[in-house]
Every structure is written in structure tokens, then in C-alpha cells.
Amino acid sequence: MASLQQTSISLQSKLLPSSQLPRLPPSLNLSFSATFPSLKLTTTTTTRPLHGGAKMSATAASSYATALADVAKSNNSLDTTSSDVEKLEKVFSDAQVLDFFANPTVEILKKRQVLDEIVKSSELQPHTANFLNILVDAKRIDLIKEIAKEFEMVYNKLTDTELAVVSSVVPLESQHLAQIAKQVQKLTGAKNVRIKTKIDPSLVAGFTIRYGNSGSKLIDMSVKKQLEEIAAQLEVGDIQLAV
């Protein structure tokens, strides 16, 4: 984490102010041709349809993520590559960093120099570094966040891992997270369960668990959900809580 923070600081002197960065028009080339070396829980299913450009971007991101996973699998580095992708997701969560690489007026050489710093400070594997360069050359670096999400799904499928996102008002104790993981494992039959945590004050108290394909399954044990159910039964609409 410290290395990622250092990377963000060291990049500031090389990145243009975000107000001066023009937006990169969406590319029409979506092909990837380059190669490189004890709880009682109830479940709700939700669907999230994609439309238009979002669907096209998801398709492109999936292609890139699958290609990266294929390379990682071939050299037996799926776990370390997954760690690389998580690091990149954090680095590029900085809008200024993402805009810098998406800016068509910045020279490729300058982008490669900054990439070298990211690779070095984050200790990325060579094939991950090559992958980043390919994204820059193909003007698809704007998809890095979507690629990270797609890679996670590919990784989970290859390793029989179920991802469960646990949202709560305050951080849950490790033993509670372990209990949740066991319950999700029973529900899904997955070999492994990976827990990601999020803080969501709107839940009032309790927690929610989202898992399944693209988070399509929801277990809601929050006070917010209980208040909504009470409101529906009483037919008084939304309940306003005094602060």
C-alpha cells in the first residue's frame, strides 16, 4: 500500500492538470490481436442489463482480461497476476493518472516513462508490464477499471472462487467475516470464497452480502431493509429517521 502511495506522489509532477486534459474519443477498434509473453440468510436475485456503449466496452474489457488470464495461466502466475491487477486498479483509481494516459496529446515516450515508474514501484511482473504497454498503444487504457473487474471474474472461475462483497456500517470482526464466508460456500458449493468489504452508512446497522455472477445474488441483513419492509406493511411510504 505504501508503494502505491509513493507512486501516486511521484506521478504528480509528471501529470498535467486534469482541467487541461482533453477527453479521448471512444475507439471503434474493440479487437485484441496482440500477443505477449451460523446465519439464517435469504437470497434475492437481481439483474443488471447492459445497453449500447456499455455493452461494447464490457465485451472489449472481457477480451483483454481473458488474454491476460491466459498468459498468467500458461506461466503458472494466476495468483500473482491477480495481485498485479489489484495494484493497477488502485493506481488508476486516481482520475488524474487515468486522464494522463488517455490524453492523446501526451507523447507515447512520456507515457512509457511513467508506466516504467508504476511497474517498478508496484513490482509488477514482466507480462503485466507488457500488457499495460499494449493498452496504451491500442488506446484502450481507459478500460483498465473494467478490465480489472473482468479479470477478477475470470480468475474466480479458473480457481473456483466465489467473490462475496460484504457491506456494513462499521468494519466487521474477522470471525464474523469467516462465518459469512462459510455460509456463502454452503450456498454456492465453491471451493474458495473471497471476501471484499465495503463501508455503507446508509444501511443504518447490520450488513448485506452480494455474490454470484456480477453480484446478482443479494443477502440483506440490514436495518435499512427491515425498516423498508415495516414501511411497506404499514403503507406509510419511506420512513424518515431523525439524526
Side-chain angles (χ1 to χ4, degrees):
M1 184 65 180
S3 65
L4 291 177
Q5 293 174 340
Q6 292 172 1
T7 299
S8 178
I9 294 173
S10 67
L11 292 179
Q12 295 305 313
S13 62
K14 296 181 174 59
L15 304 182
L16 298 176
S18 57
S19 61
Q20 299 179 16
L21 294 175
R23 293 291 179 180
L24 181 68
S27 172
L28 296 179
N29 180 16
L30 300 179
S31 64
F32 181 74
S33 57
T35 57
F36 51 97
S38 71
L39 294 170
K40 294 182 179 179
L41 308 177
T42 57
T43 305
T44 301
T45 302
T46 60
T47 57
R48 300 175 179 179
L50 295 176
H51 302 284
K55 187 173 183 178
M56 294 175 66
S57 295
T59 301
S62 178
S63 297
Y64 282 112
T66 300
L68 179 59
D70 287 342
V71 173
K73 185 179 179 181
S74 68
N75 60 26
N76 196 31
S77 63
L78 267 175
D79 289 341
T80 48
T81 301
S82 178
S83 177
D84 282 356
V85 172
E86 288 183 358
K87 293 175 183 177
L88 290 176
E89 191 173 15
K90 291 178 181 178
V91 170
F92 283 91
S93 64
D94 186 333
Q96 194 175 5
V97 174
L98 186 59
D99 288 344
F100 170 81
F101 283 102
N103 183 6
T105 68
V106 178
E107 296 180 356
I108 291 294
L109 179 59
K110 189 172 183 63
K111 291 180 180 180
R112 291 193 186 281
Q113 290 174 344
V114 177
L115 273 183
D116 288 342
E117 289 192 20
I118 293 175
V119 170
K120 183 178 179 180
S121 62
S122 301
E123 300 180 342
L124 303 180
Q125 298 173 98
H127 67 265
T128 307
N130 291 340
F131 180 74
L132 276 177
N133 280 288
I134 288 173
L135 290 180
V136 170
D137 290 343
K139 296 181 175 61
R140 295 274 66 183
I141 197 68
D142 59 309
L143 292 178
I144 190 66
K145 294 180 181 179
E146 289 81 1
I147 291 171
K149 293 178 181 178
E150 293 289 338
F151 180 87
E152 184 174 58
M153 289 191 288
V154 174
Y155 171 84
N156 290 343
K157 184 176 181 180
L158 290 173
T159 59
D160 193 13
T161 299
E162 184 71 37
L163 174 65
V165 179
V166 180
S167 301
S168 57
V169 178
V170 296
L172 299 180
E173 298 291 339
S174 58
Q175 61 266 29
H176 296 152
L177 293 176
Q179 188 178 9
I180 290 172
K182 289 181 179 179
Q183 185 65 28
V184 171
Q185 188 174 42
K186 289 180 180 179
L187 291 171
T188 63
K191 181 179 180 181
N192 308 295
V193 175
R194 183 183 180 191
I195 297 291
K196 275 190 175 183
T197 59
K198 289 184 177 181
I199 300 300
D200 184 358
S202 71
L203 298 178
V204 184
F207 59 90
T208 64
I209 308 168
R210 190 173 287 279
Y211 67 100
N213 185 25
S214 299
S216 59
K217 303 290 185 179
L218 175 65
I219 298 172
D220 196 332
M221 302 292 289
S222 67
V223 170
K224 178 182 178 181
K225 176 65 173 178
Q226 296 173 17
L227 291 175
E228 290 174 348
E229 291 177 348
I230 292 173
Q233 292 174 2
L234 296 176
E235 297 182 348
V236 295
D238 294 335
I239 293 179
Q240 298 288 331
L241 294 179
V243 178

